[in-house]
Amino acid sequence: MARRRVGNPLALAVLSCLAERPMHPYEISTTLRERGKEQSIKLNYGSLYSVVDALQRHGLIEARETGREGRRPERTVYAITPEGLAEFEGWLSELLSTPVKEYLSLEAGLALMPALAPDVVARLLGVRADRLRAQLRELDAMHDEARAKGLADLFLVESRYRQHMLAAELEFVEQMVSDLRSGVLPGVKVWARIHELRDGGVPVEEIFADPVRHLGEEGRMLLPPR
Amino acid sequence: MARRRVGNPLALAVLSCLAERPMHPYEISTTLRERGKEQSIKLNYGSLYSVVDALQRHGLIEARETGREGRRPERTVYAITPEGLAEFEGWLSELLSTPVKEYLSLEAGLALMPALAPDVVARLLGVRADRLRAQLRELDAMHDEARAKGLADLFLVESRYRQHMLAAELEFVEQMVSDLRSGVLPGVKVWARIHELRDGGVPVEEIFADPVRHLGEEGRMLLPPR
DNA sequence: ACCCGAATACTCGAAGTCGAGTATCAGCGC
DNA sequence: GCGCTGATACTCGACTTCGAGTATTCGGGT
């Protein structure tokens, strides 16, 4: 997979605008905003200008006119090059066809959660579930409103995707909370016991050094698998 | 929401290790790797050392001993401070309880997909679906193997979450492909027609300037909503 | 006639990210 | 006893990211 010379997805959005017609960077930013693309692609000025610069350095876009009106700051209008158009279509195709590993923040949280006691985690995830439900309601309202305005579903696809993924997360979190509370998830009992011991003053290192002594037979699962 | 002084999730992983016992950075990296946490938290050396440095600057960890064996590079052992422990627990709690907006690459792709013709997009998403199915099979195999080795489900939670989200993505993509092929998604007909015209030599700008003339009544949906 | 806030159009530098590169050592086969 | 691979333990600097800051103009109200 030949790595893209300019990696920021914002660069792709810039190319998408310039594929329509030449624009200056600020116009690109307002265009993306109007179309709601900044919901899907992180946009901030610093990145925008450095990305435009990088695209130019690599010959994917080129400066057309650079004029000024009154004593306003200069405006440079850029146009896409044939190589830029090829890069755009290739990159977009790859984005659609090839899943990439994304580091979700909840995944990090779940990976480290044993550092907190299981009942605490259950409570925190419960709060998360509430917030997810609120976000889903907001998205629903937004979609209804957009529909009422006559916006075609085609332009809501990315938002529907976000909603779908949010709903999936909620489903997982709800299941998790119930598994934690009921204690059916293998390992939770031991996990809870470790935190009880720790709160009672036993250093965690010591528990791990000889789990079976502190936790009984179930502690065996903490030993390194042969 | 007070912004974290050190933002990289890797910093959280570092704190989680040092909460157990003092370590030197390289040991942290191998520990995280052994436990499979690098699947969930991006780990590379450059970031590791700069993150450790930042944590020290902010008083969340402190250097203990800095010795060397033979003529090996120096090793500095770090320990967590009380403020570091507080930061760790607060941050982890926030991570679990509070959803944050994540910019998924497929969302960017969907937002820009009208730049390609609908049948092309359908084909690309079909390829993605195949790849997602392959990844899901791999994860299933991994989980079976881990189970067989006696690893508690507790330590697979993050991987199960990834699997759940991957499955949700597959579901969405499959639905999308079928909606595109059947043409039931409102807007797809117009979208296809635009690409036909463009391939026939009509500039895209012109179509957008007077959509109704080029596309008939259905073109009206491209006009800005009042 | 003047003021104020919003919009226009960028600039700048501090901070962070990344991965290839460097140097050493331990063990193992031959 | 010699070379090779793989592990140990980091360093470096080019490149990106970020968002607050700057300077100007426009339009609407009073």
Side-chain angles (χ1 to χ4, degrees):
Chain A
M1 251 181 283
R3 190 87 93 280
R4 306 279 154 201
R5 330 69 167 92
V6 188
N8 193 328
L10 180 55
L12 189 69
V14 167
L15 290 174
S16 84
C17 286
L18 298 185
E20 268 172 40
R21 61 183 172 75
M23 296 187 192
H24 56 93
Y26 186 78
E27 192 182 0
I28 294 173
S29 79
T30 51
T31 305
L32 291 173
R33 237 185 277 265
E34 260 169 36
R35 301 186 183 168
K37 302 307 176 198
E38 37 132 36
Q39 297 294 316
S40 309
I41 296 166
K42 200 174 357 187
L43 166 59
N44 68 47
Y45 290 122
S47 305
L48 176 62
Y49 286 90
S50 69
V51 145
V52 164
D53 208 61
L55 286 172
Q56 186 183 23
R57 279 202 316 277
H58 291 91
L60 303 176
I61 65 178
E62 56 189 21
R64 271 296 157 79
E65 5 163 4
T66 137
R68 59 169 66 214
E69 284 166 35
R71 213 174 305 166
R72 295 274 203 83
E74 244 186 23
R75 289 189 324 186
T76 307
V77 174
Y78 294 88
I80 198 166
T81 63
E83 305 86 65
L85 200 57
E87 174 78 5
F88 173 53
E89 292 178 357
W91 189 359
L92 182 51
S93 299
E94 189 186 317
L95 218 53
L96 291 168
S97 68
T98 311
V100 298
K101 209 247 165 294
E102 327 242 14
Y103 291 87
L104 302 182
S105 73
L106 181 55
E107 192 181 334
L110 293 173
L112 300 178
M113 82 183 171
L116 302 175
D119 55 327
V120 174
V121 171
R123 190 175 47 73
L124 293 167
L125 290 177
V127 172
R128 186 184 193 94
D130 289 339
R131 292 181 169 154
L132 287 171
R133 276 185 283 264
Q135 286 186 16
L136 283 167
R137 274 195 304 275
E138 268 177 55
L139 273 176
D140 259 334
M142 267 189 46
H143 291 168
D144 287 350
E145 200 188 341
R147 270 275 186 70
K149 276 192 190 160
L151 195 61
D153 284 24
L154 176 58
F155 301 117
L156 292 173
V157 163
E158 65 269 29
S159 183
R160 299 291 232 58
Y161 169 63
R162 190 164 51 245
Q163 190 183 32
H164 186 84
M165 297 307 277
L166 240 41
E169 180 180 320
L170 176 58
E171 200 180 24
F172 185 90
V173 170
E174 281 174 337
Q175 181 66 53
M176 191 81 224
V177 170
S178 113
D179 285 357
L180 285 175
R181 294 214 205 277
S182 70
V184 297
L185 191 75
V188 173
K189 299 262 172 64
V190 173
W191 174 20
R193 187 83 190 102
I194 290 174
H195 279 270
E196 280 168 29
L197 288 172
R198 206 198 58 171
D199 293 345
V202 184
V204 180
E205 293 179 65
E206 203 189 296
I207 304 174
F208 277 85
D210 186 357
V212 181
R213 206 184 89 225
H214 289 96
L215 304 162
E217 273 314 303
E218 284 197 309
R220 207 168 288 285
M221 72 172 77
L222 296 178
L223 295 172
R226 76 238 92 55
Chain B
M1 247 180 286
R3 191 92 90 280
R4 306 279 155 200
R5 326 72 166 99
V6 188
N8 193 328
L10 180 55
L12 189 69
V14 167
L15 291 174
S16 84
C17 286
L18 298 185
E20 270 173 39
R21 61 184 171 77
M23 297 186 191
H24 56 93
Y26 186 78
E27 192 181 0
I28 294 172
S29 78
T30 51
T31 304
L32 291 173
R33 236 184 279 264
E34 259 170 35
R35 299 184 186 169
K37 301 309 175 196
E38 37 130 37
Q39 297 296 314
S40 309
I41 296 164
K42 199 174 359 185
L43 165 59
N44 68 45
Y45 289 122
S47 304
L48 175 62
Y49 286 90
S50 71
V51 144
V52 163
D53 208 60
L55 286 172
Q56 187 183 24
R57 278 202 316 277
H58 290 90
L60 302 176
I61 65 177
E62 56 189 21
R64 271 297 158 79
E65 8 165 358
T66 136
R68 61 169 65 214
E69 283 166 35
R71 213 174 305 170
R72 293 275 203 83
E74 244 186 24
R75 290 189 322 185
T76 308
V77 174
Y78 293 88
I80 198 167
T81 63
E83 305 86 66
L85 200 56
E87 174 78 5
F88 172 53
E89 291 178 358
W91 189 359
L92 181 51
S93 299
E94 191 186 316
L95 217 55
L96 290 168
S97 68
T98 311
V100 299
K101 207 244 165 298
E102 327 242 15
Y103 292 87
L104 303 183
S105 73
L106 181 55
E107 192 181 335
L110 293 173
L112 301 178
M113 81 183 172
L116 302 175
D119 56 327
V120 174
V121 171
R123 189 175 47 73
L124 293 167
L125 289 178
V127 172
R128 186 185 193 92
D130 290 338
R131 292 182 171 153
L132 287 170
R133 276 185 283 265
Q135 285 186 16
L136 284 167
R137 274 196 303 276
E138 267 177 54
L139 274 176
D140 260 335
M142 265 189 46
H143 291 167
D144 287 351
E145 200 188 340
R147 270 277 186 68
K149 275 192 190 160
L151 195 60
D153 284 24
L154 176 58
F155 301 117
L156 291 175
V157 163
E158 65 268 30
S159 182
R160 298 290 231 58
Y161 170 63
R162 189 163 51 247
Q163 190 184 31
H164 186 85
M165 296 308 277
L166 239 42
E169 181 180 319
L170 176 58
E171 200 180 24
F172 185 90
V173 170
E174 280 173 338
Q175 182 67 52
M176 192 80 225
V177 170
S178 112
D179 285 356
L180 285 175
R181 295 213 206 277
S182 70
V184 296
L185 191 75
V188 172
K189 298 261 171 67
V190 173
W191 174 21
R193 187 81 189 105
I194 290 173
H195 279 270
E196 279 167 29
L197 288 172
R198 205 197 57 172
D199 293 345
V202 184
V204 180
E205 292 179 65
E206 204 188 295
I207 303 174
F208 277 85
D210 187 356
V212 181
R213 205 184 90 224
H214 288 97
L215 304 162
E217 271 313 301
E218 282 198 311
R220 205 168 289 284
M221 73 172 76
L222 295 179
L223 294 172
R226 79 237 95 55

